[in-house]
Amino acid sequence: MQDEPQIKLFKKILKVVIKDLENIKDVTIDEFQDAVLEAFDGYNYEGEEEVIGFEDWCDISKDGKYELQTKINHEDAYELTLYIDVKNGKITVYNVL
């Protein structure tokens, strides 16, 4: 029996996570947290993959601009600030720092 070919998995880097977050456009409020989680998919910090910060987000149900923080659940992981614009129940990320 021959060995099955191995699939190479490449680690997602933070720069790609940021780009994916910046590409979140016109997502409903209900879908926004899932879109953020999807942007982090494939990224980890020293083996930790859990994304945290959602529980500290303010109410984003009204139109306006907001700053939301999120990060990987590791004390040394970078905390990212998502700058979002909410209009008519749709969210667009316009900057990530």
Side-chain angles (χ1 to χ4, degrees):
M1 186 157 146
Q2 292 183 346
D3 291 336
E4 291 185 27
Q6 290 192 357
I7 299 172
K8 291 185 178 183
L9 299 175
F10 294 94
K11 181 180 166 191
K12 189 173 191 177
I13 60 173
L14 188 59
K15 183 177 181 178
V16 175
V17 172
I18 292 170
K19 182 178 179 185
D20 289 349
L21 289 167
E22 289 174 335
N23 285 328
I24 297 174
K25 309 241 185 283
D26 294 324
V27 178
T28 66
I29 292 170
D30 293 336
E31 297 170 335
F32 182 62
Q33 183 173 332
D34 289 337
V36 171
L37 288 171
E38 187 176 311
F40 275 94
D41 191 36
Y43 176 75
N44 72 72
Y45 189 91
E46 294 185 0
E48 181 60 60
E49 296 177 344
E50 179 188 17
V51 181
I52 62 170
F54 305 113
E55 63 279 353
D56 297 326
W57 286 1
C58 62
D59 178 15
I60 56 173
S61 62
K62 296 182 181 177
D63 286 1
K65 294 185 183 287
Y66 300 91
E67 295 177 17
L68 309 173
Q69 283 74 37
T70 191
K71 68 180 238 173
I72 294 291
N73 189 12
H74 188 284
E75 65 182 20
D76 296 327
Y78 288 107
E79 181 174 78
L80 299 176
T81 300
L82 310 177
Y83 294 86
I84 67 167
D85 190 13
V86 179
K87 287 185 183 171
N88 300 321
K90 298 275 189 159
I91 296 175
T92 296
V93 176
Y94 65 89
N95 199 4
V96 178
L97 296 176

